[in-house]
């Protein structure tokens, strides 16, 4: 069970990843949450990341790759995981492939985890995203930063839809519906033995 939750900011991937992670008893790994915790703790990484996050820009790939590598090596990640907010660039996706290949060779882990990998794309129209984010009111949820994050998503993250659909690993879900309906559809389309 290895799932990537993609979608523009505000699509609801964090909410869904949290619900399904608890249901399936696998960790929900949100790179945004990890980064925000580093910002609060004022670690070197947090201080570096904060400026990018406040502007709505992506934090440099290498920092994220280090974070994800470390997190996926934790013992609780052995049974599976939901990655929320990573990968966000083609370079990050390529890195994840390599990392999973390495991990599958490691003792005690499941063989060929790449075959179990599925990427979900939650789609929601831009106007809905902007109003959802404005009502959420996180530090990086002001109108200017939101617009920039949407633009960055279209430019750098959306190409991953083709990346995963080309490998028959993509599950597209309409995120512009009631939360419970989205959860139900995800449960159905990610059914574990498929
Ligand atoms: P959103 O609701 O915008 O999807 P996230 O919590 O996933 O928010 O991410 C917040 C911010 O953290 C992003 O705008 C970006 O600056 C940074 N970030 C999170 N994940 C990544 C990543 N994989 N690569 C680069 N930057 C990231």
């Amino acid at each position: 069970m290895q799932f990537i939750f993609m979608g523009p900011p505000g699509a609801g991937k964090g909410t869904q990843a949290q619900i399904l992670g608890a249901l399936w008893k696998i960790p929900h790994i949100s790179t945004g949450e990890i980064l925000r915790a580093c910002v609060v703790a004022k670690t070197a990484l947090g201080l570096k990341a904060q400026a990018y996050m406040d502007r709505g820009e992506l934090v440099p790939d290498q920092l994220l790759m280090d974070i994800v590598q470390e997190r996926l090596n934790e013992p609780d990640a052995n049974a599976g995981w939901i990655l929320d907010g990573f990968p966000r660039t083609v370079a990050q996706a390529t890195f994840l492939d390599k990392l999973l290949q390495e991990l599958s060779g490691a003792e005690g882990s499941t063989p060929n985890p790449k075959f179990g990998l599925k990427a979900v794309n939650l789609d929601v129209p831009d106007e809905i995203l902007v109003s959802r984010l404005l009502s959420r009111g996180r530090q990086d949820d002001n109108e200017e930063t939101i617009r920039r994050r949407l633009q960055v998503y279209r430019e750098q993250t959306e190409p991953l839809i083709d990346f995963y659909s080309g490998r028959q690993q993509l599950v597209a879900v309409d995120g512009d519906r009631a939360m419970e309906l989205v959860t139900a559809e995800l449960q159905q389309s990610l059914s574990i033995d498929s």
Side-chain angles (χ1 to χ4, degrees):
M1 280 197 271
Q2 298 180 322
F3 302 119
I4 293 167
F5 279 24
M6 299 190 298
K13 49 193 191 301
T15 307
Q16 298 296 337
Q18 193 170 5
I19 294 171
L20 294 170
L23 202 69
W24 295 333
K25 300 185 170 45
I26 51 175
H28 161 214
I29 302 173
S30 158
T31 48
E33 269 175 27
I34 294 173
L35 289 169
R36 281 188 289 280
C38 292
V39 169
V40 170
K42 295 195 163 60
T43 64
L45 173 69
L47 293 175
K48 213 180 267 181
Q50 184 167 25
Y52 294 97
M53 296 168 77
D54 286 347
R55 288 200 312 269
E57 300 293 338
L58 294 184
V59 173
D61 281 340
Q62 192 58 51
L63 297 181
L64 270 297
M65 291 173 185
D66 292 345
I67 289 175
V68 168
Q69 176 153 21
E70 199 172 311
R71 186 62 188 88
L72 293 188
N73 272 295
E74 295 285 320
D76 69 336
N78 242 330
W81 31 256
I82 301 178
L83 264 180
D84 158 20
F86 186 96
R88 254 181 163 93
T89 63
V90 172
Q92 291 178 12
T94 309
F95 170 82
L96 181 64
D97 275 349
K98 275 207 225 95
L99 180 62
L100 294 184
Q101 218 156 22
E102 278 168 29
L103 286 172
S104 73
E107 221 182 329
S109 61
T110 353
N112 296 323
K114 204 166 137 186
F115 294 126
L117 185 71
K118 287 222 172 117
V120 171
N121 186 54
L122 271 182
D123 208 16
V124 175
D126 273 12
E127 324 82 76
I128 309 268
L129 293 171
V130 175
S131 70
R132 280 188 188 179
L133 291 167
L134 283 174
S135 64
R136 184 171 74 177
R138 210 171 65 194
Q139 189 185 333
D140 56 346
D141 286 339
N142 60 75
E143 183 129 18
E144 198 190 336
T145 309
I146 290 170
R147 298 270 172 215
R148 181 59 193 148
R149 273 154 58 208
L150 284 172
Q151 195 182 7
V152 166
Y153 169 78
R154 302 283 174 218
E155 288 168 8
Q156 304 200 49
T157 309
E158 218 167 42
L160 292 181
I161 294 176
D162 285 344
F163 182 96
Y164 288 110
S165 75
R167 302 185 339 187
Q168 273 77 47
Q169 288 174 317
L170 189 82
V171 174
V173 172
D174 174 9
D176 187 14
R177 290 174 302 163
M179 205 175 77
E180 304 75 41
L181 291 179
V182 177
T183 308
E185 183 172 337
L186 285 168
Q187 273 184 276
Q188 206 165 36
S189 45
L190 295 178
S191 65
I192 285 127
D193 37 28
S194 66

